[in-house]
Amino acid sequence: VQLQASGGGLVQAGGSLRLSCAASGSIVRVNRMAWYRQAPGKQRELVADISSGSLPNYADSVKGRFTISRDNAKNTMLLQMNSLKPEDTAVYYCNANIVRDLWGAGQSYWGQGTLVTVSS
């Protein structure tokens, strides 16, 4: 199983970016999917997560600006980031709890990270 994240880049404050994450491989079901970020010198933090049949959750710092969504048929997840601020600068990681066989429990997988840089 692999998670592939993409969509990072350099943007000016107030701009927008959209991050994508795709899960591939032998997958029975994808449970929770989430975006985390890690800024230089800081710990990794949860940005947003989404589970099938549940409302998404957001960190207070991104509420009203970021929107997480997923396509269960394609095992993909998006993070639309609007009104970006310099403090949103970080490496963004996608994470997913993935079930690989009918009798197994889900396991946590991480994407490789994609850098988002917001200039002031």
Side-chain angles (χ1 to χ4, degrees):
V1 172
Q2 286 189 328
L3 286 182
Q4 182 71 38
S6 61
L10 173 64
V11 65
Q12 288 188 330
S16 299
L17 281 175
R18 187 171 69 177
L19 305 183
S20 301
C21 178
S24 61
S26 178
I27 297 172
V28 170
R29 185 178 67 252
V30 180
N31 295 324
R32 174 182 178 267
M33 301 186 79
W35 287 99
Y36 289 78
R37 68 186 181 186
Q38 187 166 18
K42 295 187 177 181
Q43 289 187 331
R44 190 173 297 189
E45 63 176 358
L46 175 67
V47 176
D49 66 0
I50 185 168
S51 298
S52 292
S54 299
L55 293 175
N57 297 304
Y58 297 94
D60 288 342
S61 59
V62 306
K63 281 181 181 177
R65 300 187 298 122
F66 292 9
T67 302
I68 190 172
S69 61
R70 61 186 287 175
D71 184 328
N72 292 329
K74 298 180 179 179
N75 292 328
T76 57
M77 173 177 62
L78 298 176
L79 184 69
Q80 179 65 43
M81 304 185 295
N82 298 328
S83 302
L84 282 161
K85 304 175 181 180
E87 50 264 44
D88 294 318
T89 295
V91 177
Y92 284 70
Y93 298 90
C94 61
N95 171 262
N97 183 279
I98 296 174
V99 178
R100 298 186 62 188
D101 61 75
L102 292 176
W103 299 273
Q107 290 183 306
S108 180
Y109 293 86
W110 291 89
Q112 81 282 14
T114 183
L115 177 63
V116 172
T117 304
V118 185
S119 63
S120 57

